[in-house]
Amino acid sequence: MKNAYVEITNICNLACEFCPGHDRKKRHMTVAEFREVAAKLDGKVENLFLHLMGEPLLHPELEKIMQVADSMNVKLKITTNGTLLRGRLPFLCSSKNLRTVCISLHSFEGNMCDDTKDRFEEYIINCLESAKVLAESGKFAVLRLWNLGNENPINTMNEKILNMLRQFFPPEREPWLKTHRGERVADHIFLEWGERFDWPDISEVEYTNSEDKAEKQSEYGEDFCHGLLRQIGILCDGTIVPCCLDRNGEIPLGNIYETTLDEALSSPRAKKMRDAMAHHRFIEPLCRSCGSMGKCKKQSLS
């Protein structure tokens, strides 16, 4: 398995307009729980992402969690909204296995109201300064922006953010280099554009009969999903799910505290999903509501 998304917390300090949240009980994964997860994943996965839902930097014992992750044979990656980044820099920079920190620069605008507008520039500068510190310590800092088009109401600050980026990392001093997802703006610092997508929603899938169901299963054509093939998700209560978009645990494949990863992947439900996906069919309602299959075909989830 290439990627494992381990949700160390499902709690977030923001309520972004573009994030659907989840319906589960709020909790942090304990250090003891994470140690058990780490033991069962070590040697089984290449990349370990410390997020699924929630803001990982909000975890009260993040430093201890990262110390456990540093004992594993994995490349460690974190995605954050950036609001807590400055205070976490010392142990992020010193982490042996931490390779990449992805910073969602669109998070602040997704929460913007009259009380926060005055802090927008402070937030962006904080993220850019933190990215520079991470890069100087040898980590990769990935600055992410939605590329939504001018008609979208939460995309109004993109040009302002880009202007601040150009001032902070002047292209005339160090030319920005095109990459397959965006641009390298400085050594170890990248700007990545992302397309907004709709999170899968099981409530949107309705079928009137078995023929309708069969038709819906085959409508994706040549699209495919990396779930169960290249990635797995583990929610903070230990529930194993096939991908990082199963935010409510709609497709539970077992619990990591009660079983092994191999046992979960060889379960009848998991095998049935993989066999169907090999023929570009998606038998789970949540999968049929997912709009990310086409994106999976175009890019690796590395």
Side-chain angles (χ1 to χ4, degrees), residues 3 21 32 52-53 124 153 270 301:
N3 301 323
L52 198 146
M53 298 300 289
I124 296 298
L301 293 178

Side-chain angles (χ1 to χ4, degrees), residues 64-79:
K64 293 181 180 178
I65 291 232
M66 292 188 65
Q67 287 172 353
V68 174
D70 275 344
S71 68
M72 301 172 63
N73 182 29
V74 294
K75 297 173 183 176
L76 190 61
K77 304 183 180 185
I78 290 178
T79 293

Side-chain angles (χ1 to χ4, degrees), residues 217 224-229 231-232 240-243 246 250-253 264-288 290 293:
Q217 287 176 353
F224 68 92
C225 176
H226 288 301
L228 295 181
L229 301 175
Q231 65 163 289
I232 198 80
I240 302 169
V241 293
C243 81
D246 189 357
E250 301 284 1
I251 312 175
L253 301 174
L265 293 176
S266 61
S267 67
R269 189 173 189 178
K271 291 172 68 175
K272 189 175 181 181
M273 286 181 67
R274 278 198 305 274
D275 290 344
M277 286 190 291
H279 295 88
H280 309 288
R281 297 174 64 245
F282 302 90
I283 60 177
E284 293 286 347
L286 186 73
C287 300
R288 294 197 294 271
C290 182
M293 253 81 75

